[in-house]
Amino acid sequence: DAKTTQPPSMDCAEGRAANLPCNHSTISGNEYVYWYRQIHSQGPQYIIHGLKNNETNEMASLIITEDRKSSTLILPHATLRDTAVYYCIVKARGYSGAGSYQLTFGKGTKLSVIP
Amino acid sequence: EAQVTQNPRYLITVTGKKLTVTCSQNMNHEYMSWYRQDPGLGLRQIYYSMNVEVTDKGDVPEGYKVSRKEKRNFPLILESPSPNQTSLYFCASRSREVGTEAFFGQGTRLTVV
């Protein structure tokens, strides 16, 4: 699985859009970009994923660059409850051997939403 | 409601006293796994299971056992807990279908004294 790089921390004003970047320059053609977040010490929560097209759901939007080497998670109107650690994970689709379903969490980006 | 349920949520035990942390999912997922989370080390996989009776070691399996006798359950067993197993534990499940997300339990905070 491709390695990802995220800034260690970011601040965002409440009500503004939070834009969280992720670099995955070694991504290969069959790898998805997944985003999860962890609020305090709760279990990680799935947010969104995509392959090459931009994606949007009720929680967030995912913008993937045309060369797929980087992506941005957008929380359109951040609230205090969005304060969490956000993880960008690159994962091959399907099964390709032992451990291929393993999610490798890096250190993520700690997003602080400020009143 | 789709969920992964872990029990107990909190546990304090003494060194050497066998314990089991249960994990159950109601989504008929094939894949289940256990992680531990420690400050500065992030989430690390302990064991995973591809399906019933199929388990394998993750990155930090020492001191742990698992079993997968039923599809919905994946208990984590500490035969002889030690203080270095004090940690926050998460169970997760996921479908084998392409491009699906993982669901995590709410965590079990274990303290071994």
Side-chain angles (χ1 to χ4, degrees):
Chain A
D1 298 327
K3 182 180 175 180
T4 62
T5 304
Q6 299 177 253
S9 64
M10 292 181 65
D11 291 339
C12 177
E14 188 178 18
R16 304 295 294 268
N19 296 281
L20 293 95
C22 180
N23 183 287
H24 31 79
S25 58
T26 60
I27 193 169
S28 60
N30 69 341
E31 290 180 316
Y32 284 86
V33 179
Y34 286 84
W35 283 84
Y36 286 78
R37 73 179 181 183
Q38 187 175 23
I39 297 172
H40 193 41
S41 294
Q42 297 178 22
Q45 176 190 23
Y46 165 81
I47 303 173
I48 198 168
H49 75 279
L51 186 61
K52 52 184 175 181
N53 297 320
N54 298 338
E55 302 288 345
T56 295
N57 63 20
E58 65 277 5
M59 289 181 68
S61 294
L62 174 60
I63 309 297
I64 303 174
T65 57
E66 194 168 338
D67 63 7
R68 302 207 326 121
K69 293 185 177 182
S70 65
S71 60
T72 300
L73 178 74
I74 301 172
L75 307 178
H77 306 285
T79 71
L80 298 178
R81 287 175 294 180
D82 292 320
T83 292
V85 178
Y86 287 77
Y87 298 98
C88 170
I89 299 169
V90 173
K91 189 69 196 170
R93 58 183 171 182
Y95 178 69
S96 58
S100 62
Y101 285 104
Q102 177 178 350
L103 290 175
T104 301
F105 289 82
K107 296 193 184 306
T109 296
K110 181 172 173 53
L111 175 69
S112 298
V113 180
I114 303 181
Chain B
E1 180 190 355
Q3 59 184 7
V4 177
T5 304
Q6 294 178 228
N7 279 296
R9 294 288 311 279
Y10 302 91
L11 179 61
I12 301 174
T13 190
V14 296
T15 299
K17 185 177 181 182
K18 181 179 179 180
L19 66 92
T20 299
V21 184
T22 64
C23 174
S24 180
Q25 50 97 0
N26 63 359
M27 295 163 280
N28 202 37
H29 285 165
E30 293 81 10
Y31 182 75
M32 297 185 73
S33 58
W34 277 101
Y35 291 82
R36 61 177 287 174
Q37 187 171 31
D38 303 288
L41 297 177
L43 283 147
R44 295 178 294 168
Q45 191 178 61
I46 303 170
Y47 267 95
Y48 64 94
S49 169
M50 300 298 298
N51 215 322
V52 175
E53 302 292 1
V54 181
T55 63
D56 208 345
K57 297 177 181 178
D59 297 322
V60 287
E62 294 77 23
Y64 304 94
K65 286 176 57 177
V66 293
S67 69
R68 188 92 182 271
K69 294 184 170 59
E70 305 166 283
K71 199 171 186 179
R72 63 182 293 125
N73 296 323
F74 190 45
L76 179 69
I77 303 157
L78 284 73
E79 295 268 3
S80 182
S82 63
N84 65 11
Q85 293 178 297
T86 292
S87 186
L88 179 59
Y89 292 86
F90 292 103
C91 179
S93 76
R94 182 179 171 185
S95 167
R96 287 194 68 169
E97 289 183 26
V98 170
T100 58
E101 73 266 28
F103 292 79
F104 284 80
Q106 284 301 98
T108 296
R109 188 170 291 282
L110 172 66
T111 302
V112 183
V113 298

